[in-house]
Amino acid sequence: MTTVIRSCRALAGLALGVLSAPAGLAFLLLAGPFTLLPRARPRVLAGAVRLADAEVLRLRLLGEQEVSGYDGRRALRYLAWRWPVGVLGALVLFLLVAGVGSAVLIAWHWLRGEPFDGMAASPPLALYLLVAGSVLLFLEVMGLAGLAGLERRTARKLLGPSPTELLERRVAQLAETRAGVVAAVDQERRRIERDLHDGVQQRLVALAVLIGRARRGRSPELLDDLLHQAHDQARQALADLRDVAWRVYPTALDSLGLRDAVATVAERAGLPVTVHYGLDERPAPQVETAAYFVVCEAVANAAKHGAAGSVTVEIVREGTMIVVCVRDDGRGGADPAGGGLSGLARRVAALDGRFRVDSPPGGPTAVVAELPCG
C-alpha cells in the first residue's frame, strides 16, 4: 500500500512538473532579459526564487530532496535547465496516457463484439497485444523512474548545497564528532575507574584483611578457613580485573579476529545468542573494534535491562558498509540517549558511520550500526 501511495505521489509530481515547465520557460523569456538592468535585476531574481520554492514543494512529491541555500542566480539557472526536463516528462506521460487509452478502447470494442481499427478479436491477436503491451508498460515505468531520478538530480545539482556549504557542514560534523569522541573516552575512563574502585580495589582490601587475620590467628582450623577465603577473594579479584581489561580492549580481536571475539561475547552473555557472521575479509582495526563494542554493549543491555530470552547478532557487508545488527526479543524501551548507547553512537559517528536504535515499548529491540569499510 505504501508503494502504491508513493508511486501515485511521484506520478502527481511529474504531472505537475509538466505544467510548471512552461511557466518557468515563460518567466525566462519574459523576465530574463531584465537581469541586464541593474534596477530590475533584484525583482527578477526574487521571482526566480519564488518559482524555485514552488518547484521544491513539487519535488517533495518525488521523495526527500536536499535543497538549501540557493539564491536568485542559482534559481534562475535551475529554471533554465529544468524546462527541457519538463518537456521530456510531457512526452513520457503522453505515451503513458496514449497506451492506457488504446488498451481501454481495444478492450471496449472487443467486449462489445466489434472490431477495433479493422482488427477482430482473436486469441493469437489478444496474446500478441498482451505481450507487446506488457513490454511497453515495463519500458514506460522505467522511463518514469528515470524521469523522476533526473528531476531529483537536476534539483540537487542546481538547488542543493553549494561546495562551500558542504564544506562548512563537514567541518561542523567533524567538530561534533571530535567532541563526541572526547566525551565517549571520558565516560569510558570514568566507568573503568568505577569498576576498579568498587570491584577490584574492594576485593584486594578484603584479601589484605583476610591475610592479616590469618597471620594473627592461633587456631589451625581458623587459619585454614581464612586462607581458603583469601584464595577465593584473590580469584574473584583476578576475574574482575580480567573483565575490566576485556572492556578496555579485547585482546581476542588482535589474535583471533572479530568472528571469534563476537563468539566469545555470545558465550559469556548468559542467554542464547545466535551469531550470523557474513564477512569474507577482516575489516580495518578501527571498524572491527567499533563493531565488537556495538555487539558487546547491545548484548549486555539485552541481558541486563531488556529481559530478553534470546538475541540474534548479524554482521554482513552491504556495498561499502559493514552492517552490524543486534536484535532481541525483550521488553524494549531502550533509551538511545542512555550512557552506553549514546557512547556507541559517538564511537560509530567518529568513523563516519550511522547508528540507530529501534526499541518500542514492549519490544523487540534492534540496534543497528553501519560502518564504512571502503
Side-chain angles (χ1 to χ4, degrees):
M1 190 63 183
T2 304
T3 303
V4 174
I5 294 175
R6 192 179 302 166
S7 301
C8 292
R9 284 169 55 89
L11 198 58
L14 294 177
L16 291 175
V18 173
L19 301 177
S20 66
L25 180 59
F27 179 83
L28 289 173
L29 294 177
L30 297 177
F34 288 96
T35 56
L36 300 176
L37 303 177
R39 297 186 59 182
R41 187 180 303 149
R43 294 184 179 179
V44 175
L45 295 181
V49 169
R50 283 194 288 272
L51 285 176
D53 290 342
E55 283 291 298
V56 170
L57 293 177
R58 179 184 67 82
L59 289 169
R60 290 180 182 175
L61 296 173
L62 303 180
E64 293 295 330
Q65 186 69 41
E66 186 181 8
V67 292
S68 64
Y70 54 85
D71 55 10
R73 294 183 183 278
R74 296 185 66 196
L76 205 60
R77 196 177 303 121
Y78 169 76
L79 295 177
W81 279 93
R82 201 266 146 191
W83 72 264
V85 180
V87 173
L88 179 61
L91 294 175
V92 173
L93 290 177
F94 172 76
L95 291 177
L96 176 64
V97 173
V100 173
S102 298
V104 171
L105 285 177
I106 292 174
W108 171 259
H109 283 281
W110 284 2
L111 288 176
R112 298 177 61 185
E114 300 173 356
F116 175 78
D117 197 19
M119 298 182 296
S122 64
L125 184 58
L127 180 61
Y128 169 76
L129 292 178
L130 180 62
V131 172
S134 299
V135 173
L136 291 176
L137 179 61
F138 173 77
L139 294 177
E140 180 66 25
V141 171
M142 293 297 102
L144 291 172
L147 181 62
L150 183 60
E151 289 266 23
R152 288 194 293 266
R153 185 173 181 179
T154 303
R156 184 169 58 250
K157 183 176 182 58
L158 299 172
L159 299 180
S162 63
T164 302
E165 185 177 354
L166 289 175
L167 184 60
E168 291 175 350
R169 288 186 186 181
R170 182 60 176 162
V171 171
Q173 181 187 11
L174 290 176
E176 182 180 356
T177 301
R178 185 186 61 179
V181 170
V182 172
V185 171
D186 187 59
Q187 182 183 14
E188 190 65 24
R189 179 183 58 79
R190 289 197 300 269
R191 187 165 72 168
I192 293 171
E193 290 175 350
R194 186 173 60 250
D195 291 343
L196 291 175
H197 180 270
D198 298 342
V200 179
Q201 181 176 336
Q202 298 303 318
R203 294 196 183 280
L204 291 177
V205 169
L207 177 62
V209 171
L210 289 172
I211 293 176
R213 290 179 58 191
R215 292 184 60 189
R216 294 190 298 273
R218 297 291 184 268
S219 169
E221 294 79 8
L222 178 61
L223 178 62
D224 184 67
D225 182 59
L226 290 174
L227 287 177
H228 181 73
Q229 294 182 39
H231 184 226
D232 288 341
Q233 287 293 334
R235 292 176 55 189
Q236 292 176 8
L238 285 175
D240 290 346
L241 189 59
R242 193 179 301 114
D243 288 341
V244 173
W246 185 270
R247 284 196 293 272
V248 174
Y249 184 78
T251 55
L253 274 179
D254 288 335
S255 57
L256 302 176
L258 181 60
R259 181 199 293 267
D260 291 325
V262 171
T264 304
V265 173
E267 293 173 359
R268 297 158 58 100
L271 76 168
V273 178
T274 304
V275 179
H276 300 288
Y277 189 87
L279 302 183
D280 297 327
E281 301 176 352
R282 284 193 68 171
Q286 64 273 19
V287 174
E288 199 174 51
T289 303
Y292 168 79
F293 279 109
V294 168
V295 174
C296 197
E297 183 71 24
V299 171
N301 285 344
K304 293 180 180 178
H305 311 298
S310 62
V311 178
T312 301
V313 177
E314 187 176 13
I315 302 176
V316 296
R317 176 163 181 162
E318 295 182 358
T320 59
M321 307 292 282
I322 289 180
V323 180
V324 181
C325 181
V326 182
R327 293 187 177 88
D328 67 63
D329 58 355
R331 59 191 175 197
D335 182 11
L341 292 177
S342 62
L344 288 180
R346 287 192 289 263
R347 186 187 290 271
V348 173
L351 300 174
D352 284 340
R354 295 186 290 270
F355 182 82
R356 65 178 185 275
V357 178
D358 183 15
S359 182
T365 296
V367 178
V368 182
E370 299 178 22
L371 301 162
C373 59

